[in-house]
Amino acid sequence: VSTQSTGCCAHTHVGQLRRRECEAMAISRRRIAPKCMAALALVLLGLVLLTPRESSPGTRPASCFVESLLSAKPLPRPIQRHMYDCFLRDVASMEATGSHRRHPKRFRFTSFNIHFFTAGYSSIELGDTRSAVMEVIQKIDADAVALQEVPSSEVYKLEREFMKLGYAHMIFAPAPSVHTLKQDARRYVGDRLMVVLASRHRFSAEGAVAIGDGFAVFGAVHLGGSQVVAMYSVHLSVRCSPEQRRREMEQLLAHALDPHVAEDAGRPNPVMPHLSSMDSLLFLVGGDFQQPRQGDYPPHEWAVIAADLRAAGLPLNDGVETLFGQNGFKDARREAGDLRTEGVLAIRPEPPCVSAWNGVISDYIMFKVVPDTSSLFQLGSFSIWPTNISDHLPIFVDFD
């Protein structure tokens, strides 16, 4: 909240006034100034108290692409190029300078679909972004990083680069097979795109979790005492039935929450059997879920988004959000109450409602604290990092 005071105590050239009038004005100023300041303080306090902590979907601007849908005007062609141009404008509206330093007492987790180290969108390739991606990761300075769309031929190079940034522990696995670069790609022809999880903390448990015909990756870290963070990096299937995405997430959550689920090589689930000895367990699932959710948008925006999805033959709901809710998970974006980029004075009051080049939110970080009465893991903030080096935006959360 910013408030300007405009002349509540105006200055007057004393040389033009008689001595007695000057003395009277000086007395008046001494009486009025404290009253002005007190009134201003009360106004500011009232604004703070009356401002809701959580913002509704209608309080933030629509993405540029959704605004173009709302205009009811014919969309420029080709439509994909228009969507990407809108995404670039959204990113530009967010860009500003600021501090993103991680608080030393917090645990920070980030998720980023890096678009196979390539600027552009979908299959359109506009240049190499490897160094830029690593620079953004370094600036976000998370304790753990979940990446999607890492080319299979680059994972060992990436591992070395992560080591330089202090991420000594990394696991990777191939995402579902739909995430394979085509033969007409300019780079990484035929590469299976991988999901990656890197951590500055040593993994006490790690592995690949079968989802569909691919995998998510999992890692658990102990933060001292009996505090454990169990993290997943996932890239759900695209151009598939909504039931397929739901089944993939069911498999991931079964691994996380069922103590009797066997991991590879017949070993028991590495987290849940020890829950009774833990003070607190934080589950984090980060990745590209592919599906926009009705609850993230006001009705008039969702109406045009839904119409656009139907026209493209895409589902309005794949059931994944409901699945998370049934299993006690919360959306960090919604729980944090806003979409402000941390430490950044954005041009708009809040960033547009977008995480990817298609003009909607499709990247999420879901979390669950066990037991739910624990005070050891409290969500501090949800943030996005504005950048055009991928067709998705990095998102990250801080927990106290």
Side-chain angles (χ1 to χ4, degrees):
V1 177
S2 63
T3 304
Q4 286 187 320
S5 177
T6 55
C8 97
C9 301
H11 292 279
T12 307
H13 194 282
V14 296
Q16 297 177 355
L17 299 174
R18 292 188 301 273
R19 179 186 179 90
R20 189 172 298 174
E21 290 173 332
C22 291
E23 292 174 349
M25 288 188 66
I27 294 171
S28 178
R29 285 189 187 126
R30 288 195 295 270
R31 291 175 178 173
I32 294 175
K35 294 180 180 180
C36 290
M37 296 304 296
L40 179 59
L42 288 173
V43 170
L44 290 173
L45 178 62
L47 288 172
V48 170
L49 294 176
L50 292 174
T51 301
R53 185 179 183 276
E54 294 192 3
S55 61
S56 66
T59 63
R60 55 183 179 259
S63 72
C64 178
F65 178 65
V66 171
E67 287 177 346
S68 70
L69 293 176
L70 289 168
S71 72
K73 298 177 181 178
L75 299 181
R77 302 289 176 174
I79 186 64
Q80 287 192 332
R81 181 68 207 191
H82 169 63
M83 294 167 74
Y84 184 64
D85 288 342
C86 285
F87 175 68
L88 294 180
R89 287 196 285 273
D90 287 331
V91 171
S93 76
M94 293 183 245
E95 287 182 338
T97 59
S99 171
H100 291 264
R101 288 187 177 274
R102 178 172 55 87
H103 192 284
K105 293 184 179 180
R106 288 182 170 183
F107 184 88
R108 176 171 288 183
F109 175 76
T110 186
S111 179
F112 187 16
N113 180 330
I114 64 168
H115 194 238
F116 49 95
F117 294 119
T118 305
Y121 58 97
S122 188
S123 61
I124 304 300
E125 303 176 36
L126 301 177
D128 181 85
T129 60
R130 169 183 288 281
S131 61
V133 166
M134 300 312 296
E135 183 179 352
V136 166
I137 290 172
Q138 183 177 23
K139 288 180 177 179
I140 292 176
D141 190 28
D143 292 274
V145 180
L147 298 182
Q148 301 85 45
E149 293 199 3
V150 176
S152 56
S153 60
E154 293 287 334
V155 289
Y156 293 108
K157 295 179 184 177
L158 176 64
E159 190 171 28
R160 291 193 294 270
E161 292 181 22
F162 265 133
M163 289 285 288
K164 295 176 184 177
L165 298 181
Y167 297 93
H169 313 280
M170 186 180 114
I171 184 170
F172 57 88
S177 62
V178 68
H179 302 299
T180 302
L181 292 175
K182 298 179 180 179
Q183 294 301 313
D184 60 354
R186 293 169 56 187
R187 308 168 68 220
Y188 310 119
V189 176
D191 264 27
R192 185 78 167 262
L193 297 177
M194 316 291 277
V195 285
V196 170
L197 183 65
S199 173
R200 287 180 166 147
H201 305 270
R202 182 179 65 83
F203 289 133
S204 58
E206 62 187 83
V209 183
I211 59 167
D213 64 353
F215 298 88
V217 287
F218 156 82
V221 299
H222 282 75
L223 300 183
S226 297
Q227 299 178 58
V228 173
V229 182
M231 303 165 287
Y232 293 80
S233 177
V234 62
H235 195 186
L236 296 182
S237 289
V238 69
R239 297 185 294 277
C240 65
S241 69
E243 292 77 18
Q244 181 173 336
R245 281 206 290 267
R246 180 184 171 91
R247 286 194 299 269
E248 290 173 354
M249 193 56 75
E250 283 176 340
Q251 291 175 291
L252 185 152
L253 292 179
H255 176 273
L257 302 178
D258 187 347
H260 304 294
V261 170
E263 208 187 0
D264 54 357
R267 292 184 289 117
N269 184 293
V271 175
M272 294 302 286
H274 307 290
L275 180 59
S276 60
S277 64
M278 298 175 189
D279 293 330
S280 190
L281 169 62
L282 171 64
F283 284 104
L284 292 168
V285 182
D288 182 354
F289 294 5
Q290 308 291 350
Q291 180 71 46
R293 300 172 178 175
Q294 182 174 355
D296 289 330
Y297 309 90
H300 68 287
E301 287 183 28
W302 180 250
V304 295
I305 293 171
D308 188 61
L309 291 171
R310 291 191 191 96
L314 299 174
L316 303 189
N317 189 346
D318 57 12
V320 169
E321 180 182 16
T322 300
L323 186 65
F324 271 113
Q326 291 170 344
N327 285 280
F329 279 79
K330 298 178 180 179
D331 183 344
R333 183 190 306 264
R334 293 184 189 172
E335 289 298 310
D338 61 41
L339 291 175
R340 290 173 295 177
T341 51
E342 178 171 309
V344 170
L345 297 175
I347 294 174
R348 300 195 193 198
E350 292 184 17
C353 192
V354 62
S355 76
W357 73 282
N358 57 0
V360 295
I361 296 172
S362 60
D363 302 88
Y364 301 88
I365 295 175
M366 308 297 294
F367 74 96
K368 177 177 180 175
V369 178
V370 180
D372 57 9
T373 56
S374 173
S375 60
L376 293 179
F377 288 113
Q378 296 291 325
L379 178 63
S381 64
F382 175 94
S383 305
I384 60 176
W385 188 281
T387 179
N388 59 11
I389 61 176
S390 173
D391 56 0
H392 288 252
L393 295 173
I395 58 177
F396 55 101
V397 291
D398 284 303
F399 280 85
D400 294 324

